């Protein structure tokens, strides 16, 4: 139970934090996955990326992500072929694991009941380094989901989020990202988590304080006004970043986004009129009946 909207968000965010055990479930397979990739493709580095390492994951929903660095001459020019071959090798190794599939730009292995127990392996090859506004970072080429390859630098993007999170303190930027991701996961919205993470971080660049309900409303409205347009990578690495994998997914996502923006507006309006029960109602509806009760 929570008396105020602020208390509601504090309690809700606490419940979004992942358990160590669910991350361990996927990470415990690291050595055997790495051995498979080494034997089949000469993988020489296998390192964790994604929201778990960045502190923006959501309990039971965010999977465990790894990059598998493979010599370029051991991969196919067509990245889709590379993903298919990696999936085939992993399925041979984990014969008793059902549901291993390509989930571009990665191959997903479901190791447990929850998505957080899945491991996603992105094959990549080293592409030098890049100078950015936040320093020099290693570059990789990863599948671009259209048969080609694209630049990626997880450390650079993590540093971008960290910079804004440190500036605004109290972990509020990362918590705000978790809230937007929670909306995505709870409502099955086909939007890229990477896209949302960068959109939220770009939004907070102009902010001096984070107030969760107000900023969530602004983020949803901004995303609507932008029409979920492709986003230029603020670190200048990955080019244009799409919101969704296909136009059909984008249309579905926008419909759900418009609903979220409408509900957030109603929640803020109710709070402004001191109708706190109504405000709780609309936030609970937005988060698929998972927001704390008053």
């Amino acid at each position: 139970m929570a008396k105020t909207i602020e208390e509601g968000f504090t309690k809700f965010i606490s419940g979004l934090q992942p358990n160590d055990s669910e991350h361990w479930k996927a990470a415990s397979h690291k050595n055997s996955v790495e051995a498979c990739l080494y034997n089949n493709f000469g993988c020489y580095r296998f390192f964790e990326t994604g929201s778990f390492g960045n502190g923006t994951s959501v309990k039971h929903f965010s999977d465990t992500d790894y990059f598998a660095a493979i010599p370029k001459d051991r991969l196919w020019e067509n990245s889709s072929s590379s993903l298919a071959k990696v999936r085939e090798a992993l399925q041979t190794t984990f014969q008793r694991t059902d549901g291993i599939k390509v989930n571009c730009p990665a191959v997903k292995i479901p190791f447990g009941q929850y998505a957080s127990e899945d491991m996603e392996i992105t094959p990549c090859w080293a592409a030098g380094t890049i100078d950015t506004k936040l320093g020099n970072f290693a570059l990789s080429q990863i599948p671009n989901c259209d048969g080609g390859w694209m630049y990626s630098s997880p450390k650079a993007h993590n540093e971008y989020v960290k910079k804004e999170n440190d500036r605004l303190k109290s972990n509020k930027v990362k918590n705000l990202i978790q809230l937007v991701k929670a909306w995505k996961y709870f409502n099955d919205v086909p939007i890229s988590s990477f896209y949302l993470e960068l959109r939220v971080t770009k939004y907070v660049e102009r902010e001096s304080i984070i107030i969760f309900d107000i900023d969530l409303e602004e983020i949803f409205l901004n995303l609507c006004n932008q029409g979920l347009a492709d986003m230029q990578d603020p670190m200048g690495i990955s080019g244009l970043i799409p919101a969704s994998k296909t136009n059909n997914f984008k249309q579905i996502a926008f419909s759900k986004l418009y609903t979220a923006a409408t509900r957030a507006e109603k929640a803020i309006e109710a709070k402004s009129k001191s109708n706190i029960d109504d405000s709780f109602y609309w936030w609970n509806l937005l988060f698929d009946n998972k927001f704390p009760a008053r």
Side-chain angles (χ1 to χ4, degrees):
M1 304 288 285
K3 294 182 179 179
T4 66
I5 293 296
E6 291 72 22
E7 286 180 5
F9 273 102
T10 297
K11 185 173 182 179
F12 186 52
I13 289 167
S14 176
L16 298 179
Q17 306 312 310
N19 300 326
D20 290 340
S21 59
E22 59 185 296
H23 181 221
W24 175 87
K25 184 74 176 285
S28 65
H29 295 278
K30 176 180 182 294
N31 290 342
S32 52
V33 172
E34 186 175 8
C36 167
L37 297 174
Y38 172 79
N39 292 332
N40 285 277
F41 306 101
C43 175
Y44 59 88
R45 188 173 175 229
F46 193 62
F47 57 100
E48 188 170 2
T49 63
S51 56
F52 267 107
N54 199 27
T56 58
S57 54
V58 174
K59 181 179 180 180
H60 294 337
F61 285 92
S62 297
D63 48 34
T64 300
D65 300 294
Y66 282 88
F67 269 28
I70 294 170
K72 184 178 179 181
D73 61 5
R74 299 290 298 272
L75 291 168
W76 283 254
E77 182 176 350
N78 186 305
S79 61
S80 298
S81 298
S82 295
L83 286 167
K85 292 295 184 180
V86 169
R87 190 210 69 80
E88 182 181 325
L90 289 168
Q91 186 65 77
T92 299
T93 298
F94 298 96
Q95 296 181 12
R96 297 182 180 179
T97 302
D98 295 327
I100 298 176
K101 65 179 182 179
V102 171
N103 186 36
C104 192
V107 174
K108 175 178 285 190
I109 311 176
F111 281 123
Q113 176 184 359
Y114 298 111
S116 55
E117 297 168 341
D118 295 347
M119 181 185 285
E120 290 214 340
I121 301 102
T122 300
C124 66
W125 50 272
T129 60
I130 185 171
D131 285 318
T132 74
K133 59 186 178 181
L134 298 181
N136 186 272
F137 297 94
L139 271 180
S140 297
Q141 288 264 21
I142 66 171
N144 71 352
C145 304
D146 193 30
W149 298 84
M150 62 180 284
Y151 288 111
S152 178
S153 181
K155 285 189 176 180
H157 291 117
N158 285 357
E159 188 62 30
Y160 172 58
V161 175
K162 180 179 182 299
K163 175 179 177 292
E164 292 304 315
N165 189 65
D166 290 347
R167 180 178 67 84
L168 292 170
K169 301 179 180 179
S170 301
N171 212 44
K172 285 196 170 182
V173 173
K174 293 188 177 183
N175 289 156
L176 188 60
I177 291 170
Q178 286 178 304
L179 288 168
V180 177
K181 286 184 178 181
W183 161 75
K184 159 197 158 70
Y185 290 129
F186 296 166
N187 294 281
D188 195 23
V189 185
I191 297 181
S192 159
S193 293
F194 180 53
Y195 178 88
L196 290 176
E197 190 150 323
L198 294 184
R199 277 292 189 197
V200 173
T201 307
K202 186 67 179 176
Y203 162 82
V204 301
E205 282 185 6
R206 58 189 170 92
E207 299 299 307
S208 59
I209 188 172
I210 298 296
I211 302 173
F212 292 126
D213 57 343
I214 293 173
D215 287 303
L216 275 176
E217 180 197 26
E218 283 296 313
I219 287 168
F220 288 130
L221 289 173
N222 285 349
L223 287 171
C224 275
N225 291 336
Q226 293 158 359
L228 289 180
D230 292 355
M231 179 186 186
Q232 189 67 45
D233 181 0
M235 290 298 288
I237 294 170
S238 300
L240 285 175
I241 300 166
S244 302
K245 290 184 178 180
T246 68
N247 285 332
N248 184 51
F249 282 159
K250 184 176 177 179
Q251 290 174 9
I252 294 169
F254 188 82
S255 174
K256 295 188 176 187
L257 173 63
Y258 182 82
T259 299
T262 301
R263 290 171 175 172
E265 282 188 299
K266 289 182 180 296
I268 293 296
E269 182 182 4
K271 181 183 174 184
S272 71
K273 295 178 179 178
S274 299
N275 295 330
I276 306 304
D277 285 341
D278 286 352
S279 188
F280 268 88
Y281 168 82
W282 288 112
W283 286 120
N284 187 47
L285 206 57
L286 188 148
F287 287 110
D288 192 38
N289 298 312
K290 295 178 179 62
F291 196 74
R294 189 173 188 221

